[in-house]
Amino acid sequence: MALLRRWYVFIPLLALSGWGAVMVGQGVRPEYAVEATAVLVAGPGASDVDGPYGGRESTSEVLAIVLDSAASRDLVEKQGLERDYEIETQERSSIIRLDVLSDSESVGTQTLATVLQMSEQELAARQDKAGIRPNAQISLQVLQQPAVDEVVETGKMRNMAIVGVIGAAFSLLITLLFDDIMGLLRRRLSRRRERRPQPATSASEMPEAAGVDPSETSASDAPVPDYAPAPSRSKT
């Protein structure tokens, strides 16, 4: 009932809340989910020296640990790229999957490209140090180049929903408060009118109030007193 009575307050506030939600949604930039896939490949040559990482399966796991370290992430961040990339490996598999979520498509793809380059350098440096010939070294072959897999807009819809719900709640609250204030003022005015003294009616207004013209009243119409005047005494 309060919303029906104060619709002229609730509807503008609700419209203002909707406008605010739209503006917030336009201000949120979409995020780009970038993915890349690589596989470890053994060299065609044979080596008499054991690899620093063992076989290809264990190499993928150790390589993921190295790239997931704080030092590697700091190095990526110093280049202005995303440090919150993710590395996924599977047990008994030489496949490595990389993904990152970034506000910029170019920054996301460059982040994974840098991580892949760091992986190749790490593999070559460790195997060179171990004395493994280049044709016998395990190398990283990129199966899927870094590319945008999905444009994520969940943050935009979430912010719009939050602003819309909060705005509608405040609109309802303000409307109810306004209705209560107006009702309180109305009750106070009515009480003041009841307490105000009514003006007394004068004698000259009584004939008019009764619908009688004062000019038509005569002396004969005046009320006769119930007593008779006392007789006057004459002097002899």
Side-chain angles (χ1 to χ4, degrees):
M1 295 301 295
L3 294 180
L4 293 178
R5 286 194 301 267
R6 310 301 175 186
W7 62 268
Y8 53 87
V9 176
F10 179 71
I11 291 180
L13 291 176
L14 193 63
L16 184 62
S17 301
W19 176 80
V22 172
M23 295 302 297
V24 169
Q26 292 179 354
V28 176
R29 300 178 58 183
E31 294 179 316
Y32 299 90
V34 183
E35 293 184 355
T37 306
V39 62
L40 297 176
V41 180
S47 176
D48 298 333
V49 181
D50 294 334
Y53 301 119
R56 289 182 301 169
E57 291 78 7
S58 60
T59 299
S60 64
E61 296 178 2
V62 176
L63 187 61
I65 295 174
V66 173
L67 296 177
D68 195 29
S69 64
S72 299
R73 294 183 182 276
D74 292 340
L75 183 60
V76 172
E77 187 178 15
K78 288 180 180 179
Q79 302 181 34
L81 304 176
E82 300 288 346
R83 66 174 290 127
D84 296 330
Y85 57 85
E86 296 182 0
I87 304 173
E88 180 183 354
T89 59
Q90 296 180 357
E91 187 177 359
R92 297 181 181 180
S93 175
S94 58
I95 297 177
I96 300 176
R97 292 184 176 87
L98 305 173
D99 62 86
V100 66
L101 194 63
S102 176
D103 295 336
S104 172
E105 180 180 356
S106 59
V107 173
T109 54
Q110 186 62 32
T111 298
L112 295 190
T114 301
V115 174
L116 291 174
Q117 185 179 2
M118 291 172 55
S119 303
E120 295 175 353
Q121 295 174 356
E122 175 69 19
L123 284 173
R126 294 293 180 95
Q127 294 179 97
D128 289 341
K129 188 177 180 179
I132 301 177
R133 295 192 302 271
N135 63 342
Q137 293 182 0
I138 297 176
S139 61
L140 187 70
Q141 182 178 355
V142 179
L143 300 178
Q144 176 185 353
Q145 293 292 337
V148 176
D149 180 68
E150 183 183 4
V151 179
V152 182
E153 296 185 355
T154 55
K156 175 180 178 180
M157 300 303 298
R158 181 179 63 252
N159 293 344
M160 290 181 63
I162 292 174
V163 173
V165 171
I166 294 177
F170 271 103
S171 301
L172 178 61
L173 179 61
I174 293 175
T175 304
L176 295 178
L177 289 177
F178 180 80
D179 184 71
D180 291 341
I181 292 173
M182 294 301 295
L184 180 61
L185 293 176
R186 186 181 300 106
R187 287 191 295 270
R188 286 186 177 181
L189 290 176
S190 61
R191 290 176 182 177
R192 288 182 180 180
R193 291 176 182 176
E194 293 176 357
R195 294 176 181 177
R196 186 178 302 173
Q198 298 295 332
T201 304
S202 60
S204 59
E205 296 176 351
M206 293 179 60
E208 294 180 359
V212 181
D213 189 358
S215 59
E216 296 179 356
T217 58
S218 59
S220 60
D221 296 331
V224 180
D226 296 337
Y227 62 91
S232 61
R233 296 182 180 179
S234 61
K235 295 183 181 180
T236 55

